[in-house]
Amino acid sequence: MLARQRQAAILEMIRQRGGVRVSQLVSRFGVSDMTIRRDLEVLAERGLVDKVHGGATLVGPGPGDEPGFAAKSLRQRAEKRAIAERAAALVEPGMAVALSAGTTTAALATLLADVRGLTVVTNSIPVCEALHQHPGADQTVVLTGGIRTPSDALTGPVAEAAISALNVDVLFLGVHGMSPRTGFTTPNLLEAGTDRCLVGAARRLVVLADHTKWETIGMATIAPLSEADVLVTDAGLPEEARDQLAGQVGELIVVGVD
């Protein structure tokens, strides 16, 4: 296969899946890791894909574009892990917590598997699966029903009715974007409504957002910045953004990334 043909096939895979890993492409095309990385570099230079750690995703999402869970899981993996580790320190045995959909909240779920007596409410299929894979911590996991979105969230009237009947100590909310003008946002209108119900069910709101979410704007606002009791982000956030956020959220926690 010629390089141009392989690059066209790679681009089609990324369009279908939202993102791919280098290892997947090496296996699919039977070429070296270096060859695949050169192909991705060519596609990135043409403005067709975004190179990320370990792979590539579709380029340039707009306010209404929603990457799939698999695509988002390739982005800022180290930052999300660090944020999740810090967020896990806010959870105590016996608490009732809610986790929204998102790759950072899914990373947090894997760290909560051993917390005793925890009740977890979630509209995220990956969060539920992460906790299901590590049973035995005397936990209760409540998964809402609803309409499934590209980010593997369950949304809509069924999900909102289930959430509205519950009360939790803290909500860990993953977001698509955040800015002073639009607050915390998502590109999915159904997911925005479900997330608002989660916010309303929680005594405390903790937002998990890596630095790339700053000044990224989704179509629908979930909550203003001032509604967050805690925002956990990473050290890649610019100083100017930190100053603005510190003046609006209850507490800004910035974590280092190894």
Side-chain angles (χ1 to χ4, degrees):
M1 181 181 288
L2 298 175
R4 183 180 300 176
Q5 294 173 314
R6 187 176 58 250
Q7 290 159 12
I10 290 171
L11 180 59
E12 182 59 27
M13 285 181 65
I14 294 173
R15 284 173 174 165
Q16 290 177 357
R17 304 182 185 185
V20 293
R21 297 183 185 278
V22 170
S23 58
Q24 292 174 321
L25 298 175
V26 168
S27 176
R28 167 68 175 78
F29 295 102
V31 295
S32 69
D33 180 284
M34 185 60 69
T35 296
I36 292 298
R37 292 184 185 278
R38 282 199 296 267
D39 288 337
L40 295 179
E41 187 68 42
V42 169
L43 293 172
E45 288 176 353
R46 291 166 59 190
L48 299 173
V49 304
D50 278 329
K51 288 185 66 180
V52 297
H53 180 73
T57 62
L58 285 177
V59 70
D65 293 325
E66 182 177 12
F69 184 89
K72 291 190 288 187
S73 68
L74 295 171
R75 301 174 179 174
Q76 286 72 52
R77 295 167 67 186
E79 289 88 344
K80 291 173 181 176
R81 178 71 182 184
I83 290 169
E85 288 176 348
R86 182 62 183 84
L90 303 176
V91 179
E92 299 177 0
M95 291 180 72
V97 305
L99 273 66
S100 77
T103 50
T104 310
T105 51
L108 171 60
T110 65
L111 302 175
L112 300 182
D114 295 325
V115 180
R116 303 292 303 181
L118 200 64
T119 298
V120 180
V121 176
T122 186
N123 67 322
S124 166
I125 295 171
V127 165
C128 185
E129 284 296 316
L131 293 167
H132 180 71
Q133 290 171 8
H134 300 87
D138 188 29
Q139 294 183 346
T140 299
V141 179
V142 180
L143 177 65
T144 71
I147 301 167
R148 187 172 182 171
T149 72
S151 60
D152 284 344
L154 298 176
T155 65
V158 173
E160 292 176 15
I163 294 164
S164 296
L166 303 173
N167 299 288
V168 297
D169 296 307
V170 58
L171 164 65
F172 293 96
L173 177 70
V175 298
H176 175 78
M178 57 182 176
S179 81
R181 182 174 65 85
T182 60
F184 300 109
T185 60
T186 174
N188 189 293
L189 296 178
L190 281 175
E191 197 162 342
T194 306
D195 283 345
R196 292 188 201 109
C197 285
L198 285 168
V199 172
R203 183 171 57 85
R204 194 165 184 240
L205 172 60
V206 178
V207 177
L208 311 181
D210 68 73
H211 70 277
T212 65
K213 307 299 176 66
W214 179 247
E215 291 294 5
T216 295
I217 297 173
M219 182 175 291
T221 294
I222 302 165
L225 299 181
S226 59
E227 199 157 339
D229 296 290
V230 180
L231 170 62
V232 186
T233 186
D234 66 89
L237 191 71
E239 286 295 334
E240 179 183 352
R242 298 187 198 190
D243 292 340
Q244 292 188 57
L245 287 167
Q248 296 198 52
V249 303
E251 178 183 4
L252 178 65
I253 299 176
V254 180
V255 298
V257 180
D258 295 331

